[in-house]
Amino acid sequence: SVRRDYHSWVSHHLGRQMEFLWFGDRGYPVLLFPTSMGRFWQNEDFGLTGALAEKVDAGHLQLVCVDSVDTESWYNKNAPPAYRARRHDDYDRYLRHELVPYVQHRSGRGEMGVCGASFGAYHAANFAGRYPGLVTKAVLFSGVYHVGQFLDGYWDDLCYFHCPEAYVANADEGLAQRLRLVDWVVATGEYDSLVGENRHFAGLLQGKGIPVHAEFWPGVFGHDWPFWRDAVRRLL
């Protein structure tokens, strides 16, 4: 039986309590992001952590199921777009300056992986793209890689630097070199409504000479938990 702990603290970057679940006691730590507006328990409830239980039990992986603030950031239609981006940036700082040091200390490892599906894949891709080398593996299922749809036409530097599609497309050789420190995996079904975005993002990485393992499962929709559970066993 896998060791499972619940933790929380009040984030000073977000000014609110942030919760997470931790599975396992040794191995490579991986941040698991929830889907759109999902909470920290979602990946457990939908069986993603269960799908990885053998790897966790064997000491290969430790899983950190993080919370999101999507309802306060990108999905917050009541706030101006500039505020949405700033709130996401607060979340990014919580992850980078509060959660990551905790994960490094507890796991005794300097590097970690990220994984997410749907909007969780956006979070995973963006965190890997912003902190390559700290993140050494990114497993992205059925993802969204551009935040334009959440901005009502607004755009600024902060939006750009939290938009993987934008900064990967514009990557110079220096950034491309750093992005090669990440083992990138992009996967979904060929009938996913987002398959074009996933092919495009994988192509952007490849076009910059950044190796990416891309899978587009034939004959299926792919944008659902049974597919992600099945694939995560192989790909993480």
Side-chain angles (χ1 to χ4, degrees):
S1 64
V2 170
R3 180 175 165 189
R4 175 192 184 277
D5 292 323
Y6 163 86
H7 287 276
S8 74
W9 63 73
V10 174
S11 160
H12 60 273
H13 288 101
L14 286 162
R16 53 161 280 191
Q17 188 186 32
M18 292 298 286
E19 303 167 276
F20 60 94
L21 293 173
W22 187 294
F23 294 85
D25 53 16
R26 62 201 193 285
Y28 180 68
V30 179
L31 306 185
L32 281 187
F33 291 92
T35 65
S36 314
M37 301 180 276
R39 297 296 312 280
F40 68 95
W41 62 75
Q42 186 197 40
N43 279 298
E44 181 182 35
D45 281 4
F46 283 96
L48 218 67
T49 57
L52 295 166
E54 276 178 38
K55 288 186 180 187
V56 173
D57 232 0
H60 300 310
L61 296 177
Q62 299 182 75
L63 307 176
V64 188
C65 295
V66 306
D67 219 341
S68 79
V69 298
D70 294 342
T71 54
E72 297 169 30
S73 61
W74 302 119
Y75 284 86
N76 187 357
K77 289 291 179 205
N78 298 319
Y83 174 88
R84 296 172 210 168
R86 278 205 311 276
R87 192 61 177 156
H88 177 75
D89 192 62
D90 294 340
Y91 175 65
D92 182 83
R93 282 183 306 206
Y94 154 73
L95 293 171
R96 178 63 190 87
H97 300 298
E98 299 180 52
L99 190 63
V100 162
Y102 175 90
V103 172
Q104 290 176 320
H105 176 75
R106 177 163 172 175
S107 67
R109 305 280 289 254
E111 79 289 340
M112 60 193 61
V114 292
C115 176
S118 198
F119 202 58
Y122 157 75
H123 286 298
N126 188 52
F127 203 71
R130 287 170 61 82
Y131 308 110
L134 166 66
V135 175
T136 51
K137 182 158 191 173
V139 177
L140 315 172
F141 295 126
S142 313
V144 175
Y145 307 101
H146 200 291
V147 290
Q149 61 178 300
F150 302 102
L151 291 166
D152 308 329
Y154 178 81
W155 192 248
D156 64 17
D157 279 358
L158 204 54
C159 301
Y160 173 87
F161 286 111
H162 285 294
C163 185
E165 200 177 285
Y167 58 71
V168 171
N170 293 330
D172 60 8
E173 181 50 28
L175 177 55
Q177 221 168 353
R178 294 198 301 282
L179 292 171
R180 289 179 201 126
L181 300 170
V182 183
D183 177 7
W184 295 91
V185 177
V186 176
T188 194
E190 69 168 338
Y191 296 124
D192 185 349
S193 53
L194 297 176
V195 70
E197 276 139 273
N198 285 271
R199 288 186 194 279
H200 180 66
F201 189 66
L204 286 178
L205 291 165
Q206 284 160 342
K208 296 290 179 176
I210 300 158
V212 55
H213 175 84
E215 286 189 3
F216 302 102
W217 310 313
V220 297
F221 173 53
H223 197 115
D224 202 1
W225 293 96
F227 299 100
W228 302 332
R229 280 196 298 268
D230 188 47
V232 80
R233 285 191 186 95
R234 284 186 299 112
L235 297 174
L236 186 56

